[in-house]
Amino acid sequence: MSVSTQTTVLSGHSIIAGRETPGNAGTTRGIDPATNAELEPAYTLIDEAQLAEATAAAEEAFESFSALDPETHAGFLETIAANIEAVGPELVDRAATETGLPKPRLQGELARTTGQLRLFARVVRQGDHRGVRIEPPLPERTPLPRPDLRQRKVPLGPVAVFGASNFPFAFSTAGGDTASALAAGCPVIFKAHNAHPGTGEIVGHALTEAVAACGLHPGVFSLVYGPGASIGQALAKDPAVKAVGFTGSRGAGTALMATAAARPEPIPVYAEMSSINPVFLFDSALRGDADEFARAYVTSLTGSSGQLCTNPGLLFVPAGEAGDAFLTAVDRALAGAEGATMLTPGIARSCRDGIDALGAQDGVEVVARGKEGATENAPAPVVFGTQVPTFLSNPVLQEEIFGASSLVIRYGSADDLVVAAARMEGQLTASLFLSEKDLPTAAPLLPVLERKVGRILANGWPTGVDVGDAMVHGGPFPATSDSRTTSVGTLAIERFLRPVAYQNIPDALLPAPVQAANPWHLNRRVDGRIELAGDSAEDRA
Amino acid sequence: MSVSTQTTVLSGHSIIAGRETPGNAGTTRGIDPATNAELEPAYTLIDEAQLAEATAAAEEAFESFSALDPETHAGFLETIAANIEAVGPELVDRAATETGLPKPRLQGELARTTGQLRLFARVVRQGDHRGVRIEPPLPERTPLPRPDLRQRKVPLGPVAVFGASNFPFAFSTAGGDTASALAAGCPVIFKAHNAHPGTGEIVGHALTEAVAACGLHPGVFSLVYGPGASIGQALAKDPAVKAVGFTGSRGAGTALMATAAARPEPIPVYAEMSSINPVFLFDSALRGDADEFARAYVTSLTGSSGQLCTNPGLLFVPAGEAGDAFLTAVDRALAGAEGATMLTPGIARSCRDGIDALGAQDGVEVVARGKEGATENAPAPVVFGTQVPTFLSNPVLQEEIFGASSLVIRYGSADDLVVAAARMEGQLTASLFLSEKDLPTAAPLLPVLERKVGRILANGWPTGVDVGDAMVHGGPFPATSDSRTTSVGTLAIERFLRPVAYQNIPDALLPAPVQAANPWHLNRRVDGRIELAGDSAEDRA
């Protein structure tokens, strides 16, 4: 292990509305998956009565937090980012120990997490997500006059967020779901991931201190450690909670969806779950350096021990010489690759089970296999191979194996690709490797892929998700529970908003975004046309 | 009855992908609710195999319809409007006979329906709903270059629409849900309402002829008559169907929600269900002409026999003299009011049952009652009264009675209003009657109402929903199944869209909305800022 720069004394407790709260329901411990050693401290787990304190505080915080002025609101997100950066080195150390992920990867992820908070702060200041629409009154309209109508989006209410094990920063305590819910104006109750409890606590303190520093109601954020699924179910059932953000397995995600749908008041669940991310190689794309191409594939496949939602799990390779040469190169590239420590013993076990199950299917064979890693929980990466008809006839071949496992499908014609794509479940991504002359062949695949995935890439591997304005990290079920949105990028904020219309309401009662004077300088849709803030009469004056 | 101008010969059959299709599952008939007389012709009901033809055709139509150019697409919506207008008089006649609704009301509703189609055509031409976002590549960005990222919204797929009995035009065959789904680019399978089958067929032909006239795939629209709930459930379960639009009862809406959530691939359900639309009267607002005010209330309460989702079902009236005088005036105004024919014998029965049940509650008494109507199915309108503590303690008092029934709650202080509002279920609307000097008293109510309703009105009755850009006809459960949207107004189109991102895709493969040349002249969000079409370099050139 590296020399620790850790300075925070970890308490091992939940933080409920700003207060360290020892739990009444037993303890859990993080473990170092490279050695299976248990880590200090033990983490106390809360019971349902303690959880109710967190949700009640969030409910209480909602009114003031949801009405925050843009400058204070954006400053809050920026303070969280700064506070996280201030403990960056110890965060990376702790996360590396708890997750087995390499430090450079974690450093990059930390930068993504703080960058995301700052990006969302810019959106909060700019304000287009507030969706202001104005229809001035038309008293002379026949047969009926038009009233004064003003629309804006308001936050849904407190949001329950469940973090992912595979992104201890970017999809965890202050990750995408938390950041987008806070940017929308929703208090967050974060269910800590028990696989990285110390990392969660350090981030939780950074966030809690930002709440205090910005003078916000302490109920704006709580971090709770609880006994696995039961506390998660209780959280999703709590009447104060108005939406759920989740990243994790299909089983856990669909369980949350069922719970949310069965509530007396059903609520939206944004669950990012399962994807095998098909990659389509066109013949000409394989005409270059087969070894270089194979190495890029193996890098995408084995990075973070394959534990990425956008891992290339399915590879369509043309029959014939170029495809053969590519697979020989994959065999060479993978032979030297060693398994890397996975996040938890349970995940490593599931990965091995998945690999065994896939290898046992009729018509599926091993194309290439790497070596077991030297640490614990480091299964050998593997690439399987099959043919299109086998893929079409056996749904097991579409099941995600979370880890460095991929299935190559040899295909004969571009029609095969359209047929296979049409039969696929929903995915986060689809990738095409093609050259200029493949465009006419690839064109019929595009509309099929648009119905199946959230992001289509050309000549790039699906791992690596840019956090920006145009990103979609989402897709039809089972990739996510709700294809109408994204869990990465600025559009994610809109998941936690709903529209409200104001009809003939006196200006003095209107909230700032829809007041006549436009005090927040928002772009607004007036009479059906966008009016940029700089173009309004007031701004010109 | 009036002289009929009917010219269409009604076939009594479903229209599946452009073909009149006699059903294999028995027949049903419309009835004239004013006389309980059965109407010609009998309508044949389809079975599940026939339903599958409609959904398969919609699935087949999707690819071409979803990619339609804006001009053809908008022209299609306008052709539907023109075709409906061409049969306007016979439509109004038939609807009046089938629903018992007065002709002037139906004429207004027909104009709203065609106006809505033309408004959506303007949105389709303008294109902001396509949500185009572009992030140009940043090859020099560190630590990683930014790829070329382009986002646009695509239609979800075929949509099942269930019409309402109370709006045979505006929330039925070519009503809001159909129009917004078609505007989004989604084929529609419309489950005809068996309470106005002839009206449905005439509109269905108008729509089918527009599909043919515009050269579209016939699967873009089907109108199916089926045996009640079973065919509706089958439609919501069909794998080709990707969303549901519904207006109707809480029971039927929640049943559809449960079915959609239990599918192997869950889909969104937009159900507009149940609302009692609280109205808050402040003392000073009652200082004017009590009789005039009471008449306006009674008009809103009894219009369309009270069968409006925005019917004022709950009225908070201050204790004291002004409130007393208002209720005396309500008594006078309602005493002369006669019940009007309701839509169906079943609805009239439910209304009477609801009135009996509410009248039997402890602490609830009759404040005013009108007379039974002279026709069948015309229960007397009624206004009940109670006090705040009774309202807070008995959830039955929050149940919607669909019809001309309203509950007056006498309150002592503005705090009572905040408490009562906080305890309410989700609503479509809330209305405030107030004057300048009530503003400080009313202010604390606003944030509470924002969490409970989709539209807040001042000094107006909630009935009457303007179809425009800033309208929200929606609200938290049980008003609707999904508070994140509206079923009236242009924002309704966005219910049927989802985002897709394109990363480094060659321009030749990109769909028109995100191509570099911006051939559809769309406003686009570029690098996080709105760029109006007229401002782009190309447009300036």
Side-chain angles (χ1 to χ4, degrees):
Chain A
M1 290 299 305
S2 66
V3 177
S4 173
T5 59
Q6 200 150 309
T7 53
T8 306
V9 178
L10 296 174
S11 75
H13 299 312
S14 295
I15 309 173
I16 294 182
R19 288 183 304 104
E20 266 181 18
T21 307
N24 297 329
T27 60
T28 188
R29 272 172 197 278
I31 68 153
D32 178 345
T35 63
N36 287 344
E38 291 198 329
L39 299 172
E40 293 297 332
Y43 273 79
T44 63
L45 305 173
I46 63 162
D47 60 21
E48 293 198 17
Q50 295 179 302
L51 179 67
E53 292 172 35
T55 57
E59 170 71 27
E60 207 182 284
F62 179 72
E63 189 173 318
S64 59
F65 187 54
S66 66
L68 218 54
D69 68 280
E71 193 50 45
T72 310
H73 195 167
F76 169 52
L77 299 175
E78 288 163 342
T79 305
I80 300 170
N83 288 0
I84 289 173
E85 272 165 1
V87 290
E90 66 177 286
L91 262 176
V92 168
D93 277 1
R94 180 76 192 190
T97 305
E98 289 184 329
T99 66
L101 292 170
K103 288 194 183 179
R105 141 72 206 263
L106 288 167
Q107 279 150 354
E109 186 186 333
L110 196 70
R112 168 178 165 178
T113 307
T114 54
Q116 181 165 264
L117 286 158
R118 293 198 171 97
L119 173 66
F120 288 1
R122 287 201 292 279
V123 173
V124 167
R125 276 202 185 84
Q126 199 262 347
D128 283 348
H129 65 294
R130 299 182 193 273
V132 175
R133 295 170 165 227
I134 292 176
E135 287 180 298
L138 297 174
E140 313 297 327
R141 192 184 65 174
T142 56
L144 289 170
R146 184 169 78 179
D148 181 291
L149 274 167
R150 289 157 192 271
Q151 185 186 118
R152 64 132 174 187
K153 292 200 169 161
V154 299
L156 290 178
V159 173
V161 177
F162 297 78
S165 57
N166 63 335
F167 279 87
F169 304 136
F171 282 96
S172 193
T173 317
D177 286 342
T178 297
S180 52
L182 292 177
C186 298
V188 167
I189 305 104
F190 186 81
K191 159 73 174 64
H193 203 294
N194 291 351
H196 52 260
T199 308
E201 188 187 343
I202 301 171
V203 175
H205 281 296
L207 220 156
T208 301
E209 283 157 22
V211 171
C214 297
L216 307 182
H217 188 294
V220 164
F221 179 76
S222 289
L223 169 70
V224 298
Y225 297 85
S230 67
I231 206 79
Q233 288 290 318
L235 185 51
K237 279 179 193 159
D238 192 295
V241 169
K242 299 301 183 192
V244 171
F246 167 89
T247 305
S249 72
R250 182 168 176 172
T254 51
L256 282 173
M257 290 168 69
T259 298
R263 286 168 49 122
E265 180 196 10
I267 55 172
V269 172
Y270 301 106
E272 195 261 86
M273 297 182 289
S274 165
S275 184
I276 53 175
N277 304 297
V279 178
F280 301 89
L281 305 185
F282 287 81
D283 202 70
S284 66
L286 289 173
R287 296 288 166 198
D289 182 336
D291 279 306
E292 195 187 314
F293 201 69
R295 276 195 298 272
Y297 164 54
V298 167
T299 299
S300 179
L301 174 66
T302 60
S304 302
S305 203
Q307 302 165 116
L308 298 174
C309 351
T310 53
N311 197 41
L314 210 55
L315 200 60
F316 288 87
V317 176
E321 224 175 90
D324 292 347
F326 168 68
L327 292 185
T328 306
V330 168
D331 189 32
R332 274 196 297 274
L334 202 63
E338 245 185 44
T341 310
M342 297 192 79
L343 294 157
T344 70
I347 287 174
R349 203 158 41 238
S350 292
C351 179
R352 289 187 206 277
D353 290 349
I355 286 170
D356 289 349
L358 182 54
Q361 301 300 309
D362 280 346
V364 174
E365 53 190 29
V366 172
V367 165
R369 195 191 286 270
K371 300 183 197 125
E372 286 279 324
T375 61
E376 298 291 325
N377 303 309
V382 58
V383 174
F384 293 100
T386 195
Q387 305 292 323
V388 170
T390 307
F391 176 74
L392 294 179
S393 65
N394 185 352
V396 172
L397 275 53
Q398 285 205 44
E399 285 173 16
E400 181 186 39
I401 296 172
F402 192 66
S405 169
S406 189
L407 174 63
V408 165
I409 299 168
R410 302 300 297 270
Y411 71 92
S413 75
D415 290 349
D416 286 348
L417 299 183
V418 171
V419 170
R423 290 279 286 279
M424 255 177 233
E425 292 192 299
Q427 307 289 343
L428 293 171
T429 70
S431 308
L432 309 168
F433 283 90
L434 37 59
S435 65
E436 191 72 22
K437 73 167 197 274
D438 299 312
L439 298 183
T441 325
L445 197 53
L446 261 283
V448 181
L449 294 179
E450 280 167 357
R451 297 193 68 180
K452 296 288 180 178
V453 317
R455 178 167 55 117
I456 307 172
L457 304 83
N459 298 319
W461 297 94
T463 45
V465 180
D466 211 79
V467 182
D469 211 53
M471 177 51 69
V472 176
H473 188 65
F477 186 89
T480 78
S481 57
D482 191 334
S483 71
R484 293 165 291 176
T485 183
T486 171
S487 65
V488 174
T490 59
L491 193 70
I493 298 170
E494 299 184 20
R495 295 179 296 171
F496 301 111
L497 299 171
R498 46 173 277 265
V500 172
Y502 304 83
Q503 180 169 327
N504 288 338
I505 300 287
D507 203 62
L509 279 187
L510 286 175
V514 288
Q515 284 171 7
N518 194 10
W520 290 359
H521 304 287
L522 302 171
N523 299 326
R524 311 196 289 189
R525 180 175 298 277
V526 179
D527 251 338
R529 301 185 65 83
I530 296 167
E531 195 175 88
L532 298 177
D535 293 347
S536 74
E538 190 211 18
D539 286 319
R540 279 195 306 271
Chain B
M1 290 301 305
S2 66
V3 176
S4 173
T5 59
Q6 201 151 310
T7 52
T8 306
V9 178
L10 296 173
S11 76
H13 301 310
S14 295
I15 308 173
I16 294 182
R19 288 185 304 104
E20 267 182 17
T21 307
N24 296 330
T27 60
T28 188
R29 272 173 197 277
I31 67 153
D32 177 347
T35 62
N36 288 344
E38 292 199 328
L39 299 172
E40 293 297 331
Y43 273 80
T44 64
L45 305 173
I46 63 162
D47 60 21
E48 294 197 18
Q50 295 179 301
L51 180 67
E53 290 172 35
T55 56
E59 171 70 27
E60 208 182 284
F62 179 72
E63 188 171 320
S64 58
F65 187 55
S66 66
L68 219 53
D69 68 280
E71 194 49 46
T72 309
H73 195 167
F76 168 52
L77 299 175
E78 289 163 340
T79 305
I80 300 170
N83 288 0
I84 288 174
E85 273 164 0
V87 288
E90 65 179 290
L91 263 177
V92 168
D93 277 0
R94 179 77 191 188
T97 305
E98 289 185 329
T99 67
L101 292 169
K103 288 195 182 179
R105 143 70 207 265
L106 288 167
Q107 279 150 354
E109 187 187 332
L110 195 71
R112 168 178 164 178
T113 307
T114 54
Q116 182 165 263
L117 286 158
R118 293 199 171 96
L119 173 66
F120 288 1
R122 287 202 291 280
V123 172
V124 167
R125 277 202 186 84
Q126 199 263 350
D128 283 349
H129 66 293
R130 299 181 192 274
V132 175
R133 294 170 166 228
I134 293 177
E135 287 181 298
L138 296 174
E140 311 298 326
R141 191 185 64 173
T142 56
L144 289 170
R146 183 170 78 179
D148 181 291
L149 274 167
R150 290 158 192 269
Q151 183 188 119
R152 64 131 174 188
K153 292 199 170 161
V154 300
L156 290 177
V159 173
V161 177
F162 297 78
S165 56
N166 63 335
F167 279 87
F169 304 136
F171 282 97
S172 192
T173 317
D177 286 342
T178 298
S180 52
L182 292 176
C186 298
V188 167
I189 306 103
F190 186 81
K191 159 74 175 62
H193 203 295
N194 291 350
H196 52 260
T199 308
E201 188 188 341
I202 302 172
V203 175
H205 280 296
L207 219 157
T208 301
E209 282 156 23
V211 171
C214 297
L216 308 182
H217 188 294
V220 164
F221 179 76
S222 289
L223 168 71
V224 298
Y225 297 85
S230 67
I231 206 79
Q233 289 290 318
L235 184 51
K237 279 179 193 158
D238 193 295
V241 169
K242 299 301 183 193
V244 171
F246 168 88
T247 305
S249 71
R250 183 166 176 174
T254 51
L256 283 171
M257 290 167 69
T259 298
R263 287 166 50 120
E265 180 197 11
I267 55 171
V269 172
Y270 301 106
E272 194 261 88
M273 297 182 288
S274 165
S275 183
I276 53 174
N277 304 297
V279 178
F280 301 89
L281 305 186
F282 287 81
D283 203 70
S284 67
L286 289 173
R287 295 289 166 197
D289 182 336
D291 279 305
E292 194 186 316
F293 201 69
R295 276 195 298 272
Y297 164 53
V298 168
T299 299
S300 178
L301 174 66
T302 60
S304 302
S305 204
Q307 303 164 118
L308 299 173
C309 353
T310 54
N311 197 40
L314 210 56
L315 199 61
F316 288 88
V317 176
E321 226 175 87
D324 292 346
F326 168 68
L327 292 185
T328 305
V330 167
D331 189 30
R332 273 195 297 274
L334 202 62
E338 245 184 43
T341 310
M342 297 192 78
L343 295 156
T344 69
I347 287 175
R349 204 157 42 238
S350 292
C351 179
R352 289 186 206 277
D353 290 349
I355 286 171
D356 290 348
L358 183 54
Q361 301 299 308
D362 281 345
V364 173
E365 53 191 28
V366 172
V367 165
R369 194 191 285 270
K371 301 184 196 126
E372 286 280 324
T375 60
E376 298 291 325
N377 304 309
V382 58
V383 174
F384 292 100
T386 195
Q387 306 292 324
V388 170
T390 307
F391 175 74
L392 294 179
S393 66
N394 186 352
V396 172
L397 275 52
Q398 285 203 44
E399 285 173 16
E400 181 186 37
I401 296 173
F402 191 65
S405 169
S406 186
L407 175 62
V408 165
I409 299 168
R410 302 299 298 269
Y411 72 92
S413 75
D415 290 348
D416 285 349
L417 299 182
V418 172
V419 171
R423 289 279 286 281
M424 255 176 234
E425 292 192 300
Q427 308 289 343
L428 294 170
T429 70
S431 308
L432 309 168
F433 282 90
L434 38 58
S435 65
E436 191 73 22
K437 71 168 199 272
D438 298 313
L439 298 182
T441 326
L445 197 53
L446 261 284
V448 181
L449 294 179
E450 280 167 358
R451 296 193 69 179
K452 296 288 179 177
V453 316
R455 178 167 56 115
I456 306 173
L457 304 81
N459 298 321
W461 296 96
T463 45
V465 179
D466 212 81
V467 181
D469 211 52
M471 177 50 69
V472 176
H473 189 66
F477 185 88
T480 78
S481 57
D482 191 335
S483 72
R484 293 165 290 176
T485 182
T486 172
S487 64
V488 174
T490 58
L491 193 70
I493 298 170
E494 299 183 21
R495 295 179 295 171
F496 301 112
L497 299 171
R498 46 173 277 265
V500 172
Y502 303 83
Q503 181 169 328
N504 289 337
I505 300 286
D507 204 62
L509 279 187
L510 286 175
V514 288
Q515 283 172 7
N518 194 11
W520 291 359
H521 305 286
L522 301 171
N523 298 326
R524 311 196 289 190
R525 182 176 297 277
V526 180
D527 251 338
R529 301 184 66 83
I530 296 167
E531 196 175 86
L532 298 177
D535 294 348
S536 75
E538 190 211 16
D539 287 317
R540 279 195 307 270

